[in-house]
Amino acid sequence: MGYMIRTVILLGALTGLFLFVGHLIGGKTGMTIALILAGIMNFIAYWFSDKIVLSMYGAREIPYEEAPWLHQIVEELANKAGIPKPPIYLVPMEQPNAFATGRGPGHAAVAVTSGILHLLDRDELRGVLAHELGHIKNRDVLVATMAATIAGAISYLVNMFQWMLIFGGGRDEENRGGWAGLVGSLMLIILTPIIAMIIQMAISRSREYLADETGAKISGDPLALARALEKIHNYVYQIPAEVNQGTAHLFIENPLSGEGIWELFSTHPSTEKRIERLKELARKMGVYA
């Protein structure tokens, strides 16, 4: 529940930033135009994201007869999660990883790389699949789309303001506030998209924590997911993969995630923090190694 509340607060902060910048730059008209344009782009991404992402990584659907054990795991977990069993796809990638995509229960897919099938044992893979089903159950694609829509609208407004300054708005701004007004405008152009991105990344990290928790409860084995994350983390840096940065947030482990201050700009929390939280959850659930 805590992660859900945090997501709502962060979405509210992102919306507040959008309203503030929109009113400051273009009033209600500019704000409405930006939101409509960003909404159209993200509407398309929301409805066709599963097909786009699966095609991008050359994924193919795994028929039941090819891996009945894998289908049985997903079906069992989906039943526990109370959602329809999604189709399973294989991504021809040596790097061990997995992701879920789609609009939500009934319109989703789970994808695993060939590398993760070779690396993890059955319990660890079950933990990873439960995590991905957690994303589907929690409708994280919808949440990510909402965040991307607002962040995209903010970027559009700032970009529009930048062109206004270039083509004549600068003199008016200088008359109103002199150099202080100009510096303020430049700070707005530089800092606002960064702040929006930090909030958007924070939302993504909250959803990862929530999927870890949801998946652990679905599988009943938080420690199996913790072991899987540790293995994946160690291998993901040894086996680089060509991952589109725009889809990196989908994977259970992001090779671009940072540590320390750089974690603010990462779509994923640090693996160490995720493992520690899973171990704490295991203690609360009475699950021991």
Side-chain angles (χ1 to χ4, degrees):
M1 183 62 70
Y3 299 127
M4 296 181 71
I5 293 173
R6 185 182 178 190
T7 299
V8 171
I9 292 172
L10 288 168
L11 278 172
L14 198 58
T15 303
L17 180 63
F18 166 72
L19 293 173
F20 171 75
V21 174
H23 182 73
L24 195 65
I25 294 173
K28 292 183 180 179
T29 303
M31 196 165 43
T32 303
I33 292 173
L35 186 59
I36 290 173
L37 290 175
I40 290 172
M41 290 186 293
N42 285 283
F43 177 82
I44 294 171
Y46 174 66
W47 280 92
F48 300 103
S49 61
D50 52 345
K51 295 179 177 62
I52 293 171
V53 173
L54 292 170
S55 174
M56 185 182 298
Y57 291 108
R60 67 170 180 85
E61 187 170 356
I62 303 175
Y64 183 90
E65 56 272 15
E66 181 177 329
W69 63 273
L70 185 60
H71 280 267
Q72 288 164 10
I73 291 175
V74 174
E75 184 171 11
E76 174 226 338
L77 293 172
N79 287 336
K80 287 188 175 182
I83 62 174
K85 173 182 173 290
I88 311 166
Y89 285 79
L90 179 67
V91 177
M93 184 186 295
E94 290 186 17
Q95 183 187 93
N97 232 316
F99 64 84
T101 185
R103 304 192 299 276
H107 301 279
V110 170
V112 293
T113 67
S114 52
I116 203 170
L117 294 179
H118 294 138
L119 176 67
L120 303 184
D121 64 33
R122 190 183 182 105
D123 288 340
E124 293 163 351
L125 183 61
R126 185 171 175 272
V128 168
L129 291 169
H131 168 97
E132 299 306 335
L133 291 177
H135 275 308
I136 295 171
K137 181 180 177 66
N138 296 333
R139 298 182 180 272
D140 285 332
V141 172
L142 173 60
V143 174
T145 301
M146 290 169 61
T149 298
I150 301 170
I154 290 171
S155 296
Y156 179 85
L157 282 174
V158 171
N159 188 55
M160 182 176 67
F161 181 57
Q162 180 180 347
W163 285 107
M164 284 169 56
L165 287 178
I166 292 173
F167 291 104
R171 286 193 300 273
D172 294 336
E173 188 70 28
E174 189 174 337
N175 291 335
R176 286 197 299 267
W179 283 105
L182 184 58
V183 171
S185 298
L186 290 175
M187 293 295 288
L188 179 68
I189 292 170
I190 295 169
L191 293 180
T192 304
I194 294 175
I195 295 171
M197 182 177 69
I198 289 175
I199 296 175
Q200 187 182 358
M201 295 302 99
I203 292 171
S204 178
R205 291 192 298 274
S206 291
R207 304 312 287 183
E208 284 302 317
Y209 279 134
L210 182 59
D212 283 346
E213 182 179 299
T214 304
K217 290 178 179 177
I218 291 171
S219 68
D221 192 354
L223 296 179
L225 177 56
R227 293 195 304 272
L229 287 173
E230 186 173 14
K231 281 187 178 180
I232 295 169
H233 177 76
N234 291 335
Y235 273 83
V236 102
Y237 291 96
Q238 298 176 29
I239 308 174
E242 293 185 9
V243 176
N244 185 292
Q245 190 168 359
T247 61
H249 68 282
L250 293 174
F251 289 85
I252 191 168
E253 175 72 28
N254 180 8
L256 304 177
S257 61
E259 302 293 340
I261 185 65
W262 295 111
E263 192 177 334
L264 287 172
F265 300 95
S266 174
T267 56
H268 290 60
S270 72
T271 304
E272 290 78 8
K273 289 181 180 178
R274 295 172 70 182
I275 290 173
E276 193 56 43
R277 294 190 185 209
L278 285 167
K279 288 180 178 178
E280 178 61 29
L281 180 60
R283 286 191 285 270
K284 290 179 179 178
M285 293 173 61
V287 178
Y288 301 96

